[in-house]
């Protein structure tokens, strides 16, 4: 699979396909890149592929052809499979987000009574109460990552518990979540 990843990133191709089929494109890539590639039978419309590019990576070519059609390319057992987005596997990731959620506690200052005419305690050094703002992290993640996949895919889930964000989602959405959390940490 590392060899396939390297070919996807490093192999530059020049293509000129006009109203061709997805199968013809897969055949061409299989021959030129020497990569096993199959087109899923779940894909209904296979024709109408038009692409003209010069010296573009194989990964970019596949993205340009597949994304507008709502298709994806998965790598499994040494084979690239062009399939429908619903076939993308869901993975479980757990993110420690306590640093994003919680700020250091803000204690209420103690009341100090400097009236020396009163007998007793001069200064009350009570600990105060901690205030932690409500932070809608779950809603932010759903709104800014994954698009409609949260609603459309019954296999996905998102739960915040004890400072841990437990996410069951596709790998591509997991990358979006990691990127979003990294940006939130930079802004903090």
């Amino acid at each position: 699979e590392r060899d396939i990843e390297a070919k996807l990133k490093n192999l530059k191709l020049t293509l000129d396909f006009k109203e061709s089929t997805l199968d013809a494109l897969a055949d061409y890539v299989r021959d030129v890149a020497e990569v096993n590639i199959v087109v899923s039978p779940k894909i209904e419309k296979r024709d109408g592929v038009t692409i003209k590019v010069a010296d573009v990576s194989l990964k970019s070519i596949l993205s340009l052809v597949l994304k507008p059609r709502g298709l994806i390319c998965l790598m499994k057992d040494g084979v690239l499979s062009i399939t429908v987005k619903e076939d993308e596997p869901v993975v479980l990731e757990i993110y420690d987000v306590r640093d994003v959620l919680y700020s250091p506690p803000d204690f209420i200052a103690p009341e100090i009574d400097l009236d020396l005419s009163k007998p007793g305690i001069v200064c009350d050094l009570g600990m105060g109460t901690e205030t932690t703002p409500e932070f809608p992290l779950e809603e932010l993640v759903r709104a800014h990552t994954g698009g409609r996949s949260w609603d459309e895919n019954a296999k996905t889930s998102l739960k915040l518990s004890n400072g841990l964000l437990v996410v069951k989602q596709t790998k591509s959405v997991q990358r979006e979540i990691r990127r979003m959390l990294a940006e939130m940490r930079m802004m903090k």
Side-chain angles (χ1 to χ4, degrees):
E1 290 186 2
R2 287 183 183 160
D3 292 339
I4 294 173
E5 279 288 335
K7 285 182 181 180
L8 285 171
K9 290 179 184 176
N10 301 324
L11 183 64
K12 307 280 186 190
L13 296 176
T14 299
L15 296 178
D16 187 5
F17 280 80
K18 292 179 185 166
E19 293 300 317
S20 186
T21 65
L22 202 51
D23 295 309
L25 178 66
D27 290 341
Y28 180 78
V29 169
R30 186 181 310 109
D31 293 340
V32 172
E34 297 178 355
V35 172
N36 290 321
I37 186 167
V38 295
V39 179
S40 171
K42 292 182 180 181
I43 299 172
E44 294 177 10
K45 186 179 178 202
R46 295 171 173 251
D47 57 347
V49 175
T50 300
I51 184 168
K52 184 174 183 175
V53 292
D55 201 31
V56 176
S57 74
L58 178 56
K59 185 174 186 174
S60 295
I61 290 171
L62 290 173
S63 179
L64 288 169
V65 171
L66 301 179
K67 273 189 178 180
R69 292 172 173 74
L71 303 174
I72 57 169
C73 195
L74 299 175
M75 189 177 348
K76 186 175 180 185
D77 299 326
V79 176
L80 279 178
S81 176
I82 297 174
T83 188
V84 292
K85 214 169 198 166
E86 293 79 33
D87 285 350
E88 188 173 7
V90 173
V91 293
L92 179 71
E93 296 262 350
I94 300 173
Y95 303 95
D96 185 351
V97 292
R98 290 176 291 192
D99 62 320
V100 174
L101 293 175
Y102 303 112
S103 298
D106 184 14
F107 292 103
I108 297 173
E111 289 186 35
I112 300 175
D113 187 6
L114 297 177
D115 186 1
L116 299 177
S117 64
K118 292 183 184 177
I121 300 175
V122 173
C123 180
D124 177 16
L125 296 176
M127 291 304 291
T129 58
E130 181 179 334
T131 58
T132 306
E134 290 292 321
F135 194 76
L137 185 62
E138 287 182 60
E139 290 84 11
L140 285 172
V141 169
R142 285 183 192 273
H144 297 287
T145 64
R148 288 179 275 173
S149 69
W150 296 106
D151 303 326
E152 294 173 352
N153 192 344
K155 297 184 252 178
T156 63
S157 65
L158 175 70
K159 177 78 174 149
L160 180 62
S161 178
N162 296 326
L164 297 176
L165 188 64
V166 181
V167 182
K168 194 172 171 187
Q169 189 48 280
T170 62
K171 287 182 180 181
S172 57
V173 176
Q174 297 284 9
R175 279 191 300 273
E176 290 178 33
I177 293 170
R178 279 193 294 277
R179 193 173 314 124
M180 178 183 166
L181 291 173
E183 288 174 6
M184 290 174 74
R185 286 182 174 107
M186 286 183 351
M187 287 189 276
K188 192 167 181 172

